[in-house]
Amino acid sequence: MNLAHLHYFYAAARNGSFSQAAKQLFVAPQTISTAVAALEREWGLSLFDRKASGIELTGAGAAMLDQVAVVIEDLEALAARARQTRAAASETVTFAYASASLPSEGGPLSLADLERFRIAHPHVSLNVFELTSDACVEAVASHQAHLAFAAASSAPANVESACIARGSFLVGVSRNHPLANRKALSFADLEDVPIFAPPDLNLTYTRITERCRSYGFEPRFSTMPFSADNAREFVKGNRGVSFTPRFFAEDERYGESLNAAFLPLIAKDDFSLPLYLVWRKGVAADASAELRDFILKRFGASPGQQENRA
């Protein structure tokens, strides 16, 4: 069956004229007439009554037209899907995440999950990079990133967000440090204890400073630049303490490699930050929306479940 013949038959029936159908499709009237005749031979049916005043569908022709209309609608939908797929194939989704907010694997969401998403969506090119939380949100607001996962305290008006988790910390300390024998720590215990500077200087750093000041002292932050290696060496060398994401701290291999203990803070000083998925307002059904919905689903949330910032 020639699909072009179906289109010609459909146009002739809609126009009630071979010549009008020809004008609509930019072909010769004879092309329409020949195509219809070919279908009539193939199906063994008379599709039109041909009269001097024009053409009229036969009963069989009307019945066939209903089915042909369905086929043409399906073909148009298929063509539209192909166009969408071609557009998505050239699309890169940029995802920013706050430093130390995502483990390599495990937990509700990890870098390994993002890689699995990319493999399952071969039409998506996924660009993932790490920033401070505020920089992540700004990257989305300024159209440098499509999505961000961050512990942000505020957001511009042109982004939307959903609070989907809380990032909690334990205090990492060498087993040779006097504090290592405690079951839990208070911020009061950190007076005069060097603290490795956390990655989110506008959030974690500020929160730690506020908590220490509530006990009447200024924290002593290390001048070492943030990096995962520097944080490990700081604790391993018994230079002070480091606020460590819980997913790192609860990995026994991580603690053993540093000869370190990871202690919780007392309930009064419990230290955690709300983690938000942030995206641009008005995201359509594109690849970035696919990733957004994938992440929200992992946390049992949806685009409509937005929360006020804590």
Side-chain angles (χ1 to χ4, degrees):
M1 184 183 301
N2 189 318
L3 294 179
H5 290 175
L6 297 182
H7 282 281
Y8 293 154
F9 165 58
Y10 183 80
R14 290 301 187 190
N15 285 277
S17 165
F18 289 158
S19 60
Q20 289 299 318
K23 288 180 182 179
Q24 180 184 8
L25 298 177
F26 303 99
V27 296
Q30 185 61 36
T31 301
I32 303 293
S33 177
T34 300
V36 170
L39 285 177
E40 289 177 322
R41 288 194 302 273
E42 182 177 352
W43 292 340
L45 300 170
S46 176
L47 300 176
F48 292 105
D49 285 330
R50 294 158 175 83
K51 301 178 180 180
S53 59
I55 57 173
E56 290 183 2
L57 281 167
T58 63
M64 296 303 291
L65 178 64
D66 290 340
Q67 189 61 47
V68 168
V70 172
V71 172
I72 289 177
E73 288 175 2
D74 287 344
L75 289 173
E76 290 175 347
L78 184 62
R81 181 59 181 268
R83 289 192 295 270
Q84 292 173 359
T85 302
R86 283 198 305 272
S90 61
E91 186 174 3
T92 297
V93 177
T94 305
F95 181 84
Y97 69 97
S99 299
S101 65
L102 287 180
S104 296
E105 56 185 20
L109 182 69
S110 69
L111 296 175
D113 290 318
L114 296 180
E115 177 62 14
R116 281 189 282 271
F117 171 86
R118 187 195 63 76
I119 294 172
H121 299 76
H123 62 282
V124 178
S125 176
L126 191 57
N127 180 20
V128 180
F129 58 94
E130 186 177 4
L131 296 169
T132 64
S133 282
D134 285 353
C136 283
V137 177
E138 179 56 32
V140 176
S142 62
H143 290 227
Q144 297 177 56
H146 294 92
L147 297 154
F149 186 64
S153 57
S154 62
N158 65 336
V159 305
E160 295 179 310
S161 64
C163 183
I164 56 179
R166 294 193 70 86
S168 58
F169 297 83
L170 299 180
V171 182
V173 58
S174 168
R175 295 188 185 279
N176 298 321
H177 195 282
L179 292 177
N181 296 322
R182 304 283 187 90
K183 291 185 177 181
L185 297 178
S186 163
F187 275 93
D189 298 319
L190 302 183
E191 186 172 6
D192 293 327
V193 176
I195 301 172
F196 185 79
D200 266 325
L201 297 183
N202 292 331
L203 283 169
T204 317
Y205 184 97
T206 301
R207 295 284 182 90
I208 292 173
T209 299
E210 290 172 350
R211 296 294 179 88
C212 291
R213 286 176 177 172
S214 72
Y215 285 97
F217 67 93
E218 292 291 322
R220 288 180 53 196
F221 286 111
S222 163
T223 58
M224 293 176 67
F226 176 81
S227 75
D229 288 340
N230 283 348
R232 286 192 290 267
E233 290 304 313
F234 188 80
V235 172
K236 189 175 181 179
N238 197 16
R239 301 179 186 178
V241 301
S242 173
F243 281 78
T244 305
R246 184 177 289 271
F247 58 78
F248 279 135
E250 291 181 343
D251 185 337
E252 292 183 1
R253 294 170 300 178
Y254 184 77
E256 289 175 359
S257 69
L258 304 184
N259 188 32
F262 294 95
L263 308 176
L265 288 157
I266 60 174
K268 176 184 176 182
D269 287 341
D270 183 46
F271 184 64
S272 63
L273 295 170
L275 294 172
Y276 295 86
L277 182 65
V278 182
W279 64 91
R280 300 174 194 166
K281 276 188 177 178
V283 171
D286 60 10
S288 65
E290 289 184 78
L291 179 57
R292 177 199 65 192
D293 294 345
F294 167 81
I295 294 173
L296 291 175
K297 185 177 180 180
R298 297 300 295 262
F299 289 93
S302 67
Q305 292 179 314
Q306 299 177 46
E307 300 183 23
N308 294 328
R309 296 183 174 276

